[in-house]
Each structure stands twice: as structure tokens, then as C-alpha cells.
Amino acid sequence: MFTSLFIRRFAWGQLLLWGALALLTRFTWLDVKPPEWIWIFSYMALGALFSSLLFVAYQPILRWHVAAQLAMALALSVVAGLAWRASFNALEYHVLESANNKFHFWGYFHNGKSAVTQLLLWSCGFWLWHYQKRTQLQSKQQDKLQQQARDAQLKLLQFQIDPHFLFNVLASVDTLLLKKDSNTARNMLNKLSSYLRHTLTLEPPLTQPLSKELTRCRHYLDIEKMRFADTLSIEWHVPESLPQVALPTGILLPLLENAVKHGAAAQTSHSSIGIALETQPHSLIIKMSNPCASLSAAKNINNNKGTGMGLYNTKQRLQTFYGNSATLAYGQQGDLFIVTMTVPL
């Protein structure tokens, strides 16, 4: 759970904190005679022990609501402070034998208020440190997500202006014009224009609604379908009412690119690409399927070779954006290559 470096730093921090408090106690004692070093050492050692136990006890509540955290921290600090003082008083009464007051049950909690106050101050320091670290971590994660969105957009831009992609589209338009099929050529150019308009943005948002992401995918597939004419068909299995969920911008397009390259482009006969959406109570499942040209091609993708890196990078984006709440699974099932993305709602 904790790295060895963190444990060493925490141990040194505890040693310095309680050591400084021991020196402060010894040399600022208001009474005529300060307590013996063994008394101070025993008290501070127990304080370090119970504050370390508090640190461990705080770990399960780090993700709680702030109000619940504060309430639990207050309760744990009071309990730990009283336990600290009871342990020290028992040591003082029965081992050190330096107590002046006559022993009785409540004597175990003598000066418990000071111990509780000290652990409350220690807890305040811990939670201030925790909230500062959490704010820094969230800021770094936000910066990382924004950078990934920009990187993804740059990849999309690179894909859009890829000479082969534009050449194939323009070559298809030229062929249509030679056949005097100007209506179809104009239609293809309009779809290309719509596609570029939806993808070429200067400041890509970190996320966008599922509906817009699907619109981007439809524009792309419309162009590819016109290029491959009757040899490519698209099977959409999308509910009429889409869930209100936002996806990382451009997360689906690399998956469709793979489907086209390893489906339609690699087939000599008719091929079909399937896109299906399924809504679960707490998650959205997106499945894409395409014919597998060969078993070796599927193995190359699973081994992150070639365009398999696109699948790997998509998986990394999901991991960064959603943590362990999202998954991306892919592999060959029969003569189909299927990619399944699951994101939380």
C-alpha cells in the first residue's frame, strides 16, 4: 500500500516531530524540576505510536465525504488520545512509579485532555497535508487528461490530413466524375466536408456527449462506405434514446479505423462492420466487430503490432480517465475480431 520511500519519510517525520516536542517539553517546563528523560521519552514514544495508529486508521476514510471525515477524525483522535494517556499513566503508576496521586480507575485518564489536544493538532496537520496532496494530484491528473485529449486530437488531425486517406477519397471522387456520376461525387465531398468540420477544432474539449461522438463516427463511416461501394456494409445497433454520458473526445474513431483497415480493406469480398450499444444499470457497453482477414492479423493486433498500438493507447486513455471503472477488451471470436469498451454511467 505504501512505498518503502514513503514509510522512511513518514518515520523520519514522526521522529523529528516527537523529538522536537520532547526537547520543548524538557526545556520549557514551568515547574521547578523538569521531568526525567525516561518520563519524557516514554510519553513521546507512546504519542508517536498512537499517532501512527491514527495514520493507519485514517486510510480507509480518505475517500469519504469531508464532513464524515472530520467527524470520524475527531472521534478517533479522542479515543486515541485517551488510550495514549491511559497507557502512559499505567506505565507511570506501575513501572516508573513517579506518580504522586493515589491510583484509582479514573487515574488512568488523568491529563487525558492534553493528550487528546495534542493528537487533534497532529490530526489537523495530517488532514491539511492530505487535502494539499489530493489537490495537487487532481491538478496533475486534470493536466494529464487535457494533454491526452490534445494528443488524441493531434493524432486525429494527422489521420485526417494523411495523404493516403485524402488520396483515396479524392480518387474515388475523380472516378465518379469520369463516370459522370456528379451527384454521388458531390455527396461524397459533402460528407468529407462534414467529417472534417466535426474533427478539425483548434481547442478540443476534454469530453463530448455520446451523441456527438457517434455523429463523428457516422461521418467517417459514410465516407468509407462510399469508397468501398457495395463491398462494405455498416450494421448499427444503437437505441433511439442514448444515455446521457460523456466520452473522452475521439475515443471511438481509432477503433473504427482498425475495423475498416482489418475488415473492408483487407477483404476481397463483401464485409460488414458492426457497432452496438448496450446500456446496463451502471455502465455503457460499446461493441465493434469486423471480419478478421487472418489469424496472424488478429495475433498482430493482440501483440500491439501495427494498428494494435491504437487499441493499446485507447486502453491507456480509458485507464487514465476512468481508472479501473472502464475496460477495453478485444480478440478474435470465430471469423470476427470484436472490441468491447465498457464505461461507467
Side-chain angles (χ1 to χ4, degrees):
M1 184 178 181
F2 304 112
T3 64
S4 58
L5 177 61
F6 178 85
I7 294 176
R8 287 197 300 270
R9 288 180 175 178
F10 178 77
W12 276 108
Q14 286 283 83
L15 181 62
L16 293 174
L17 173 64
W18 292 101
L21 187 58
L23 294 175
L24 187 65
T25 301
R26 172 71 179 183
F27 295 110
T28 61
W29 193 261
L30 298 179
D31 202 353
V32 177
K33 182 181 178 181
E36 297 294 331
W37 280 111
I38 185 63
W39 187 97
I40 297 177
F41 174 80
S42 301
Y43 184 80
M44 298 306 167
L46 287 171
L49 172 63
F50 280 96
S51 61
S52 299
L53 292 176
L54 270 183
F55 175 82
V56 175
Y58 286 158
Q59 300 309 306
I61 68 173
L62 293 180
R63 296 184 180 276
W64 288 13
H65 188 272
V66 174
Q69 286 178 339
L70 295 179
M72 182 59 72
L74 176 62
L76 290 175
S77 295
V78 171
V79 172
L82 293 177
W84 171 20
R85 193 68 207 194
S87 300
F88 176 75
N89 287 338
L91 179 66
E92 185 180 29
Y93 293 155
H94 303 295
V95 179
L96 302 178
E97 297 180 351
S98 60
N100 296 322
N101 55 319
K102 184 179 179 181
F103 171 77
H104 54 84
F105 175 78
W106 293 110
Y108 280 121
F109 304 100
H110 178 66
N111 284 336
K113 185 187 297 183
S114 63
V116 170
T117 301
Q118 289 170 323
L119 284 189
L120 282 174
L121 291 174
W122 186 94
S123 295
C124 288
F126 168 83
W127 287 106
L128 287 175
W129 170 81
H130 166 69
Y131 290 134
Q132 180 188 20
K133 295 292 291 184
R134 188 174 69 175
T135 301
Q136 291 177 348
L137 181 62
Q138 289 175 344
S139 178
K140 289 181 180 179
Q141 187 177 29
Q142 186 73 10
D143 291 340
K144 186 176 181 180
L145 290 173
Q146 291 176 348
Q147 184 61 46
Q148 284 190 331
R150 287 191 289 268
D151 292 343
Q153 185 67 13
L154 289 176
K155 292 177 182 178
L156 289 174
L157 292 174
Q158 182 179 3
F159 174 76
Q160 304 313 321
I161 61 176
D162 186 285
H164 297 289
F165 174 74
L166 292 178
F167 174 79
N168 289 334
V169 175
L170 295 177
S172 299
V173 172
D174 182 62
T175 300
L176 292 171
L177 293 175
L178 289 176
K179 295 180 178 179
K180 300 184 183 300
D181 191 354
S182 58
N183 290 332
T184 306
R186 188 182 300 110
N187 189 21
M188 179 174 285
L189 288 175
N190 287 336
K191 291 183 181 297
L192 177 62
S193 176
S194 298
Y195 178 57
L196 295 178
R197 184 170 60 252
H198 278 81
T199 55
L200 301 180
T201 57
L202 295 178
E203 292 294 334
L206 186 62
T207 63
Q208 68 176 2
L210 173 62
S211 57
K212 289 189 176 181
E213 189 71 15
L214 292 178
T215 298
R216 182 200 298 260
C217 294
R218 289 182 186 276
H219 286 311
Y220 168 73
L221 291 175
D222 284 344
I223 296 172
E224 296 293 1
K225 188 176 179 180
M226 295 186 71
R227 282 185 53 223
F228 290 100
D230 297 333
T231 62
L232 173 64
S233 61
I234 311 296
E235 296 182 4
W236 290 91
H237 300 281
V238 178
E240 294 183 2
S241 178
L242 295 175
Q244 299 298 318
V245 59
L247 298 178
T249 301
I251 197 73
L252 298 180
L253 194 59
L255 307 181
L256 287 177
E257 177 191 358
N258 278 351
V260 171
K261 287 186 176 181
H262 293 278
Q267 299 291 321
T268 57
S269 58
H270 182 273
S271 61
S272 177
I273 294 177
I275 303 98
L277 269 67
E278 180 182 352
T279 303
Q280 299 289 344
H282 303 290
S283 62
L284 172 68
I285 301 176
I286 304 173
K287 289 187 178 182
M288 300 185 186
S289 62
N290 61 270
C292 225
S294 63
L295 182 60
S296 60
K299 289 182 177 179
N300 286 338
I301 295 178
N302 283 319
N303 292 330
N304 291 331
K305 297 179 180 179
T307 54
M309 284 303 297
L311 294 173
Y312 175 78
N313 291 335
T314 300
K315 193 171 186 177
Q316 292 299 106
R317 282 195 71 193
L318 288 173
Q319 175 68 27
T320 301
F321 195 88
Y322 295 105
N324 295 327
S325 300
T327 60
L328 182 71
Y330 47 86
Q332 188 175 12
Q333 298 181 16
D335 58 351
L336 293 178
F337 188 82
I338 299 177
V339 179
T340 303
M341 178 190 296
T342 304
V343 296
L345 291 176

